[in-house]
């Protein structure tokens, strides 16, 4: 089972999200030691957030849990610091997963277990989801600059 599985695989709560951006997430303090594997969500992890504008740099399907794993940045610069955003395989995210795959296909990018990776050109996106503090375990490209993720998340290509 993956780290804090029960905390990551939850439906998004109803209500008005807090508007944030990638730059804000990059400033959030990080725990120096991983939380216990069964630690429930708390604090910032309970606040629904919305990122109105970011850039999708990388997308793949995690072969271990089949979550869609994406990396977003504040600017369209390929060297900009990134935040991980994940859309889980859970049934309530099925239409969100299909939407992101269909929109990427329109841009000539195939996303499935065998295909994915760095996009040739960053795509403007919006994100709705819950913050989640992960731990360091080789979670993405060298540009990923924080343990904070948005997981679960619904991503829309703008």
């Amino acid at each position: 089972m993956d780290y804090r599985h029960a905390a990551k695989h939850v439906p998004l709560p109803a209500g008005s999200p807090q508007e944030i951006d990638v730059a804000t997430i990059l400033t959030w303090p990080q725990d120096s030691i991983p939380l216990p594997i069964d630690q429930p969500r708390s604090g910032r992890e309970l606040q629904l957030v919305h990122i109105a504008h970011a850039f999708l740099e990388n997308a793949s399907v995690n072969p271990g849990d089949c979550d869609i794993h994406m990396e977003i940045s504040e600017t369209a610069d390929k060297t900009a610091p990134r935040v991980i955003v994940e859309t889980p395989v859970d049934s309530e995210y099925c239409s969100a997963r299909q939407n992101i795959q269909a929109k990427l296909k329109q841009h000539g990018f195939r996303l499935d277990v065998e295909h994915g990776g760095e996009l040739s050109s960053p795509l403007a996106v919006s994100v709705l989801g819950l913050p989640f503090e992960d731990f360091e375990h080789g979670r993405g490209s060298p540009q990923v600059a924080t343990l904070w993720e948005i997981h679960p998340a619904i991503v829309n290509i703008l």
Side-chain angles (χ1 to χ4, degrees):
M1 180 167 313
D2 78 43
Y3 177 69
R4 295 183 64 208
H5 181 87
K8 286 194 272 191
H9 295 270
V10 297
L12 293 180
S16 297
Q18 176 183 355
E19 291 292 332
I20 63 168
D21 56 22
V22 171
T24 299
I25 298 170
L26 294 169
T27 68
W28 290 347
Q30 303 173 80
D31 285 317
S32 57
I33 56 167
L35 297 170
I37 197 160
D38 58 351
Q39 175 80 30
R41 285 182 176 271
S42 64
R44 181 174 278 125
E45 294 182 327
L46 297 170
Q47 172 64 54
L48 185 66
V49 297
H50 180 251
I51 300 168
H53 197 265
F55 290 91
L56 179 62
E57 302 276 5
N58 186 300
S60 61
V61 176
N62 181 317
D65 62 13
C66 290
D67 288 356
I68 295 179
H69 179 283
M70 294 162 276
E71 296 179 14
I72 61 170
S73 59
E74 182 76 18
T75 64
D77 180 349
K78 283 291 188 183
T79 64
R82 300 179 186 178
V83 170
I84 290 175
V85 175
E86 293 195 47
T87 301
V89 72
D90 309 340
S91 60
E92 64 259 39
Y93 299 102
C94 187
S95 62
R97 291 169 61 84
Q98 291 170 342
N99 180 51
I100 194 76
Q101 286 171 305
K103 292 270 181 85
L104 285 170
K105 188 176 181 181
Q106 291 172 2
H107 289 274
F109 188 87
R110 187 168 171 192
L111 179 62
D112 57 35
V113 176
E114 288 88 32
H115 302 89
E118 197 73 13
L119 279 71
S120 55
S121 297
L123 295 174
V125 295
S126 66
V127 178
L128 178 69
L130 289 171
F132 177 81
E133 189 174 10
D134 208 337
F135 74 104
E136 188 48 58
H137 59 280
R139 301 161 34 252
S141 73
Q143 289 78 22
V144 173
T146 180
L147 297 177
W148 283 100
E149 302 179 351
I150 305 299
H151 189 316
I154 295 172
V155 175
N156 287 304
I157 294 178
L158 302 175

